[in-house]
């Protein structure tokens, strides 16, 4: 039949609708899919046929069995039905049916025809039972199945025996190798001398050092490509050679610490979400993600290794391998703590920083002084360099929990760490507009007067942009900082108040009072009354040392000089207590407490001069002048500098420079009440003694005060002394090194140059004889005193 189908012309294609073209395309694709499906079905049938042909193995029936079966069948038939009673045609039919296997195996109860395949209805167990049993006398040969051949008769499977390798020879070789190994093991190891063992150890150590150095340099040169070498370097933390295990592990710890400090990025790496993992990215981005993921995982494993080292040392637990002794574990633990401290300070922004804090803070209370000092210094450095306050907040939370969990039985140094916090202001009840730096913008009238229409439009857009920048940068960062500082200080005060309430006899009380003295100006006004009552009760109880009582006084006046100005509280009892206990100070052990006394005096008089009476100021001036005679020179300089401030701040202080008494009464130096001791009727005779002091700076201050502490003229102080506060002068002239400060100038007597002209008048020959006589040894003969007596 001729194919009348023509290719459609271009004009006809233009007239064909888009839907029709889509349908044609779909029909074409469907036909292709159906053809492919048909081909797959044929291939499947072919594979099934090959599998069935392989599984079916025809076994020829033996002739003897055939004869026996036939004889039995004939006997049964004779018993059942005599052949005389059957027709010839029926007998022939029975013989023909008996020759067919289907007749014997067919289920006579079923109505199915004979040619129906029984494979469909046959169960697996029946099929297995029909396979004849054979004893396995020889091992089955492995067969390799090849592609089958199909002909008119059906599918012919093709198989080839798998070639068996010459195993006997291999077994002989193996046995020979085992015998050689046994012989080798039986040989005793050579005994090395101590020198050879030391040389062998040095060689091994040098090899390990070179390997560590090569890995570290490769990682530092290309961190992105060599991140897998971090794992290899970290694996050396498990060094098993007992000769070099301790040193190698220490070197690997320090090397990994320095590597992480160098290659860690300046941001925190967060885990990727499922959506981010599913999206396709550039090669560079994928490479960066792999580097970050590998870095975080190796950093985590490294921190876990350090933690496990410290735990093993704390629990005195040895590993099964017994490579490292218990004594060596202490050195390993110290190196691990050093590494953790370095990472705490160097990487406060990176992952697992809070985990490091949780490890380091409990070690501040450790029995080992070296480890606790390392942790103290690390936390102090962290507080000093933490500008935002996020890391400081984490440390303060852990310390507060540690103090509460240990029931306040921790070392006082743990709480003294709070003194190094960089908190100068906290968030008060202010709006964000007050916190944000304000910028002055032009009003509408000013714009209308000074700018054109286009300039006003540009100015408006510029001001809007500047406002957005101010809100985004300045106010947001400052608000976050204030919020963190406020939360940190709240936790600090909760810890302090908890100790004041529940553990007043704890050794932590001095650290608490010292902390309150530093941060008292930041305490909320609501706590002022209760806190002052507690501080006064502590002082009145008499159970505090002198230094602790000074901290109580300093805390109270810090509270009253800050927001406490609005409170109507008279702190006369604190003035009285300080006045009464001033003579407890001396040039011995309590000399260092004078620094706290100077701080108290500065807050009590300089910052509260309007609330202090003249009698009180005169009494303190007189007692401080007397105290300056009993203490070391640096304390005398600080006290005289405070007296100078009192004389310049309060009027009529020059009454004490006059011998005549003012008013009635006599000065009572033994009275402990500064208001009633009649200090106006005495004189500062101590200044004349201080003018003869051995320290030059004390002499200068004493002469200056005798002249009335003038600010100008010949008796005025030099700028380096007048502009420095008393506490700074106390530290500047400290004598902690047991030396004079400033050092005493060495006075050397002036000697006139003497000129010996004797040599110029002696002849050369005489010189030689003198030299010979000086260099020669004289013969000493024994003296005989009886000789002259005999002669006489």
């Amino acid at each position: 039949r001729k194919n009348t189908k023509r290719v459609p012309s271009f004009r006809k294609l233009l007239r064909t609708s888009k839907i029709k073209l889509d349908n044609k395309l779909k029909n074409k694709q469907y036909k292709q899919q159906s053809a492919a499906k048909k081909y797959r079905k044929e291939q499947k049938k072919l594979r099934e046929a090959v599998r069935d042909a392989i599984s079916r193995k025809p076994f020829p029936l033996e002739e003897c069995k055939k004869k026996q079966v036939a004889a039995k069948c004939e006997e049964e038939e004779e018993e059942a039905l005599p052949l005389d009673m059957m027709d010839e045609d029926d007998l022939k039919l029975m013989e023909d049916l008996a020759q067919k296997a289907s007749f014997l195996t067919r289920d006579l109860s079923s109505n199915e025809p004979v040619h129906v395949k029984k494979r469909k209805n046959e169960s697996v167990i029946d099929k297995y039972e029909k396979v004849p049993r054979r004893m396995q006398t020889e091992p089955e040969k492995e067969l390799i199945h090849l592609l089958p051949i199909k002909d008119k008769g059906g599918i012919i499977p093709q198989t080839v025996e798998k070639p068996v390798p010459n195993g006997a020879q291999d077994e002989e070789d193996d046995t020979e190798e085992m015998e050689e190994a046994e012989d080798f093991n039986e040989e005793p190891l050579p005994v090395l001398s101590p020198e050879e063992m030391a040389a062998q150890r040095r060689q091994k150590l040098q090899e390990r050092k070179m390997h560590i150095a090569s890995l570290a340099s490769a990682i530092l040169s290309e961190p992105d490509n060599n991140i897998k070498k971090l794992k290899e370097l970290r694996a050396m933390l498990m060094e098993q050679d007992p000769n070099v295990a301790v040193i190698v592990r220490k070197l690997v710890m320090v090397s990994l610490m320095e590597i992480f400090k160098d290659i860690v990025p300046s941001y925190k790496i967060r885990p990727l979400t499922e959506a981010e993992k599913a999206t396709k990215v550039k090669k560079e981005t994928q490479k960066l993600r792999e580097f970050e993921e590998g870095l975080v995982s190796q950093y985590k494993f490294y921190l876990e290794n350090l933690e496990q080292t410290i735990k093993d040392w704390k629990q005195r637990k040895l590993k099964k391998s017994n490579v490292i002794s218990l004594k060596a574990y202490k050195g390993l633990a110290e190196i691990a703590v050093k590494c953790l401290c370095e990472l705490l300070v160097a990487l406060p922004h990176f992952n697992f920083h809070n985990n490091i804090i949780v490890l380091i803070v409990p070690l501040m209370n450790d029995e080992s002084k070296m480890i606790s000092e390392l942790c103290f210094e690390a936390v102090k450095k962290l507080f000093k360099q933490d500008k935002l306050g996020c890391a400081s907040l984490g440390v303060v939370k852990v310390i507060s929990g540690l103090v509460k969990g240990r029931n306040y039985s921790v070392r006082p140094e743990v709480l003294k760490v709070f003194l190094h916090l960089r908190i100068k202001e906290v968030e008060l009840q202010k709006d964000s507009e007050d916190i944000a730096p304000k910028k002055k913008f032009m009003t509408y009238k000013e714009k209308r007067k000074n700018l054109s229409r286009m300039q006003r439009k540009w100015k408006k857009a510029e001001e809007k942009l500047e406002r957005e920048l101010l809100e985004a940068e300045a106010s947001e960062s400052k608000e976050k900082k204030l919020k963190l500082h406020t939360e940190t200080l709240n936790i600090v005060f909760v810890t302090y108040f908890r100790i004041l309430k529940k553990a007043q006899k704890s050794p932590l009380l001095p650290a608490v009072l010292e902390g309150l003295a530093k941060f008292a100006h930041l305490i909320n006004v609501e706590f002022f009354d209760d806190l002052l009552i507690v501080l006064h009760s502590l002082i009145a109880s008499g159970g505090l040392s002198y230094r602790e009582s000074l901290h109580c006084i300093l805390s109270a006046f810090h509270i009253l000089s800050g927001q406490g100005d609005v409170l109507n509280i008279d702190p006369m009892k604190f003035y009285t207590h300080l006045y009464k206990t001033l003579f407890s100070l001396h040039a011995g052990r309590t000399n260092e407490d004078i620094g706290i006394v100077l701080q108290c005096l500065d807050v009590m008089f300089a910052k509260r001069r309007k609330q202090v009476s003249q009698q009180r100021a005169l009494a303190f001036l007189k007692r401080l002048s007397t105290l300056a005679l009993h203490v070391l020179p640096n304390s005398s300089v600080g006290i005289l500098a405070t007296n100078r401030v009192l004389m310049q701040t309060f009027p009529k202080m020059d009454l004490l420079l006059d011998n005549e008494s003012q008013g009635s009464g006599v000065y009572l130096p033994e009275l402990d009440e500064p208001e009633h001791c009649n200090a106006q009727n005495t004189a500062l005779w101590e200044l004349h003694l201080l003018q003869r002091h051995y320290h030059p700076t004390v002499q200068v201050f004493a002469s200056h005060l005798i002249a009335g502490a003038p600010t100008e003229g010949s008796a005025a102080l030099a700028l380096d002394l007048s502009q420095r506060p008393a506490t700074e002068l106390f530290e500047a002239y400290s004598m902690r090194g047991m030396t004079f400060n400033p050092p005493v100038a060495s006075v050397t007597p002036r000697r006139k140059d003497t000129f010996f002209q004797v040599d110029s008048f002696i002849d050369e020959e005489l010189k030689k004889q003198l030299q010979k006589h000086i260099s020669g040894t004289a013969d000493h003969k024994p003296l005989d005193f009886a000789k002259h007596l005999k002669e006489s």
Side-chain angles (χ1 to χ4, degrees):
R1 184 180 174 186
K2 190 176 179 181
N3 189 8
T4 57
K5 196 171 183 180
R6 295 180 182 178
V7 179
S9 62
F10 181 71
R11 190 177 298 277
K12 190 174 181 181
L13 283 173
L14 287 176
R15 287 200 297 269
T16 308
S17 65
K18 188 178 180 182
I19 299 171
K20 194 171 182 180
L21 291 173
D22 291 342
N23 291 338
K24 282 185 178 182
L25 181 62
K26 287 179 183 177
N27 291 336
K28 187 177 179 182
Q29 292 175 352
Y30 178 73
K31 286 179 182 178
Q32 290 175 356
Q33 290 175 1
S34 60
K37 195 179 291 182
K38 189 176 180 182
Y39 175 73
R40 284 197 298 271
K41 283 184 179 180
E42 289 178 357
Q43 292 294 322
K44 187 177 181 182
K45 286 180 181 178
L46 181 61
R47 286 194 298 272
E48 289 177 355
V50 171
R51 201 180 299 117
D52 292 341
I54 291 168
S55 63
R56 234 187 284 132
K57 295 181 180 180
F59 296 103
L61 296 174
E62 299 176 2
E63 293 180 0
C64 62
K65 288 185 178 181
K66 281 183 180 180
K67 291 178 181 179
Q68 290 176 4
V69 172
K72 286 181 182 179
C73 289
E74 287 174 2
E75 289 175 2
E76 290 173 1
E77 287 171 0
E78 286 175 358
E79 290 175 1
L81 184 65
L83 296 174
D84 300 341
M85 298 175 65
M86 294 183 68
D87 296 334
E88 292 181 2
D89 296 336
D90 294 336
L91 186 60
K92 190 176 181 179
L93 178 62
M94 292 289 289
E95 289 176 356
D96 293 338
L97 290 172
Q99 292 176 2
K100 294 183 179 179
S102 62
F103 176 74
L104 297 173
T105 58
R106 182 185 172 199
D107 187 7
L108 298 175
S109 63
S110 65
N111 297 324
E112 290 182 352
V114 180
H115 64 273
V116 174
K117 294 181 180 178
K118 297 185 295 177
R119 182 166 46 85
K120 293 181 180 178
N121 299 327
E122 194 174 30
S123 64
V124 179
I125 298 173
D126 297 339
K127 187 175 179 181
Y128 177 74
E129 289 293 336
K130 287 176 184 177
V131 177
R133 273 70 167 170
R134 290 190 305 169
M135 292 297 291
Q136 189 173 354
T137 56
E138 58 183 14
E140 293 185 359
K141 297 179 180 179
E142 295 186 18
L143 300 176
I144 299 174
H145 299 290
L146 304 177
L147 290 174
I149 300 171
K150 188 176 181 181
D151 60 357
K152 293 180 180 179
I155 296 171
I156 303 171
Q158 299 290 317
T159 57
V160 176
E161 292 183 6
K162 188 175 182 180
V164 180
N166 191 4
Q169 188 176 357
D170 295 341
E171 288 177 2
E172 290 176 3
D173 297 340
D174 293 340
T175 53
E176 288 177 3
E177 288 176 4
M178 291 293 290
E179 289 174 0
E180 290 176 1
E182 288 175 1
D183 295 340
F184 178 75
N185 291 333
E186 288 174 1
E187 292 179 5
L189 293 171
V191 179
L192 298 176
S193 64
E195 292 81 7
E196 292 174 345
M197 291 175 66
Q200 187 180 10
R201 181 176 178 275
R202 281 195 297 270
Q203 184 181 358
K204 286 181 181 179
L205 196 58
Q206 188 64 25
E207 290 174 0
R208 302 292 196 283
K209 285 181 180 179
M210 293 301 294
H211 188 49
I212 293 170
S214 61
L215 288 174
S217 60
I219 294 166
L220 291 175
S221 59
E222 292 183 4
D224 299 345
N225 300 327
N226 296 324
I227 194 66
K228 291 183 179 178
K229 292 190 177 180
L230 264 178
K231 185 177 180 181
E232 185 179 350
L233 183 58
R234 190 177 56 80
M236 294 182 73
L237 283 172
M238 300 295 122
E239 178 64 46
Q240 297 300 320
D241 191 347
N243 293 326
V244 295
V246 178
I247 297 178
V248 169
R249 291 188 185 188
K250 288 181 180 179
L251 291 173
V252 173
M253 283 181 188
V254 177
S255 302
L256 281 170
M257 181 261 295
E258 294 294 339
I259 288 170
F260 281 121
K261 282 169 65 177
D262 285 341
I263 67 173
V264 159
S266 60
Y267 54 87
K268 188 174 182 179
I269 298 173
R270 62 173 181 82
L272 298 174
T273 60
E274 294 296 330
E276 289 174 339
K277 290 179 181 178
T279 55
K280 291 184 177 180
V281 293
K282 296 179 182 178
K283 288 184 179 179
E284 293 81 3
T285 309
Q286 185 64 29
K287 187 177 179 182
L288 179 62
R289 284 182 177 179
E290 290 174 358
F291 166 71
E292 289 177 347
E293 187 177 354
L295 179 64
V296 170
S297 63
Q298 293 303 319
Y299 187 59
K300 178 186 175 184
F301 292 140
Y302 171 62
L303 294 178
E304 287 175 352
N305 288 333
L306 296 180
E307 180 185 8
Q308 192 60 44
T309 303
I310 298 170
K311 281 184 178 178
D312 291 342
W313 170 67
K314 294 287 287 183
Q315 298 171 0
R316 305 291 190 271
K317 186 170 66 175
L318 278 174
K319 298 291 183 184
K320 292 180 181 179
S321 59
N322 290 329
V323 175
I324 299 174
S325 63
L326 278 174
K327 290 182 180 179
Y329 255 115
K330 185 179 180 183
L332 275 176
E334 288 176 357
I335 297 296
V337 171
K338 280 183 183 178
C339 294
L340 286 172
C341 292
E342 286 287 333
L343 294 173
L344 178 76
V345 178
L347 306 176
H349 60 280
F350 197 58
N351 302 48
F352 310 114
H353 190 255
N354 290 333
N355 303 69
I356 300 175
I357 291 171
V358 172
L359 282 174
I360 290 294
V361 168
L363 293 175
M364 294 165 64
N365 196 40
D366 195 76
E367 296 174 357
S368 174
K369 188 175 181 181
M370 181 180 177
I371 288 179
S372 60
E373 286 295 328
L374 283 172
C375 298
F376 284 137
E377 293 301 322
V379 174
K380 287 176 187 176
K381 285 181 185 176
L382 182 66
F383 282 163
K384 287 178 182 178
Q385 74 178 21
D386 187 21
K387 296 181 179 178
L388 188 61
C390 188
S392 302
L393 176 61
V395 175
V396 168
K397 282 182 178 178
V398 178
I399 291 176
S400 178
L402 177 71
V403 173
K404 187 179 179 182
R406 298 280 178 90
N407 198 16
Y408 314 107
S409 60
V410 296
R411 299 172 66 178
E413 288 82 1
V414 176
L415 283 183
K416 285 184 179 178
V417 173
F418 289 159
L419 300 175
H420 299 274
L421 286 168
R422 291 183 60 179
I423 300 177
K424 295 182 180 178
E425 55 180 345
V426 293
E427 189 176 18
L428 302 174
Q429 298 298 325
K430 293 183 180 181
D431 299 330
S432 58
E433 295 177 1
D434 299 334
I435 297 171
K438 295 182 179 179
K439 186 175 179 67
K440 190 176 180 181
F441 296 106
M442 294 177 70
T443 60
Y444 179 73
K445 289 183 178 179
E446 291 175 349
K447 290 178 186 176
R448 191 74 182 266
K449 184 178 179 181
N450 300 324
L451 303 176
S452 64
R453 185 177 178 182
M454 185 59 68
Q455 286 176 336
R456 287 200 300 271
K457 191 175 181 181
W458 279 103
K459 193 72 177 175
K460 186 178 181 181
E462 186 181 346
E463 288 178 356
K464 184 180 179 182
L465 180 62
E466 286 180 358
R467 282 195 185 95
E468 290 175 356
L469 288 173
L470 286 173
E471 291 173 3
E473 293 176 6
S475 66
E476 187 175 329
S477 61
K478 193 170 183 183
E479 281 178 10
K480 187 177 180 181
K481 182 179 176 181
L482 286 174
K483 189 175 180 181
L484 289 170
H485 283 185
T486 306
E487 190 176 353
T488 304
L489 203 62
N490 286 341
I491 297 171
V492 171
F493 283 141
V494 164
T495 308
Y496 286 164
F497 295 159
R498 197 182 287 143
I499 293 170
L500 283 175
K501 185 178 180 182
K502 297 182 180 180
Q504 289 188 357
K505 295 183 179 180
S506 169
L508 300 177
L509 191 61
V512 170
L513 296 173
E514 197 171 348
L516 284 174
K518 180 173 182 180
F519 300 117
H521 62 287
L522 301 172
I523 300 176
N524 199 340
V525 184
E526 299 172 359
F527 301 111
F528 281 1
D529 288 336
D530 297 333
L531 194 55
L532 287 172
I533 292 170
V534 170
L535 292 175
H536 182 257
S537 64
L538 285 172
I539 293 173
S541 66
L544 301 180
S545 66
Y546 186 66
R547 189 180 184 88
E548 293 170 6
S549 64
L550 288 178
H551 281 305
C552 281
I553 295 169
L554 187 59
S555 303
F557 280 100
H558 272 304
I559 291 170
L560 295 172
S561 62
Q563 303 174 54
D565 288 338
V566 296
L567 300 176
N568 189 15
I569 297 174
D570 184 18
M572 183 60 199
K573 45 197 171 185
F574 294 107
Y575 281 100
T576 304
H577 180 77
L578 182 62
Y579 182 80
K580 181 171 62 177
T581 57
L582 272 178
F583 283 149
S584 302
L585 299 168
H586 50 76
R589 188 176 58 185
T590 59
N591 186 73
E592 293 298 319
D593 295 339
I594 292 181
I596 307 172
V597 172
L598 296 176
Q599 294 179 34
C600 292
L601 292 170
D602 181 51
V603 180
M604 293 163 73
F605 290 98
K607 295 181 180 179
R608 291 177 58 85
R609 52 182 173 271
K610 293 182 180 179
Q611 288 88 359
V612 178
S613 64
Q614 183 181 352
Q615 291 292 331
R616 197 181 301 174
L618 287 169
F620 269 94
L621 182 61
K622 174 62 180 175
R623 184 156 284 198
L624 286 172
S625 301
T626 309
L627 180 64
L629 297 171
H630 305 156
V631 291
L632 292 178
N634 62 328
S635 303
S636 299
V637 171
I639 290 171
L640 293 176
T642 304
N643 287 350
R644 175 176 177 270
V645 172
L646 288 174
M647 293 179 73
Q648 291 179 346
T649 304
F650 294 93
K652 299 183 180 180
M653 287 290 108
D654 54 351
L655 293 174
L656 299 180
L657 299 177
D658 193 0
N659 290 335
E660 295 180 3
S661 60
Q662 302 288 331
S664 61
V666 181
Y667 173 59
L668 304 173
E670 70 281 358
L671 195 66
D672 292 335
E673 293 291 335
E675 296 283 349
H676 309 292
C677 65
N678 299 323
Q680 72 277 5
N681 294 327
T682 185
L684 295 178
W685 51 265
E686 296 89 354
L687 295 178
H688 292 278
L689 292 177
L690 291 171
Q691 266 187 319
R692 297 175 177 84
H693 200 279
Y694 67 88
H695 200 278
T697 312
V698 178
Q699 296 176 10
V700 171
F701 265 101
S703 303
H704 172 70
L705 292 178
I706 287 174
T711 56
E712 295 178 353
S714 59
L717 284 177
L719 289 176
D720 61 331
L721 295 177
S722 62
Q723 293 184 352
R724 297 165 77 180
T727 53
E728 188 177 337
L729 289 169
F730 172 76
E731 292 294 334
Y733 291 99
S734 176
M735 301 176 68
R736 291 192 185 96
M738 298 304 294
T739 57
F740 287 106
N741 188 10
V744 178
S746 59
V747 180
T748 56
R750 294 181 179 179
R751 295 180 181 177
K752 294 184 178 180
D753 295 334
T754 57
F755 177 72
F756 297 98
Q757 298 179 352
V758 180
D759 294 342
S760 60
F761 298 106
I762 298 176
D763 191 14
E764 291 182 2
E765 293 183 2
L766 184 60
K767 275 184 185 179
K768 289 179 182 180
Q769 290 179 3
L770 286 172
Q771 192 69 27
K772 185 178 178 182
H773 181 73
I774 292 169
S775 61
T777 56
D779 295 332
H780 296 283
K781 295 179 181 180
L783 297 176
D784 189 5
F785 295 101
K787 180 181 177 182
H788 300 284
L789 292 173
K790 291 175 182 178
E791 290 176 357
S792 62

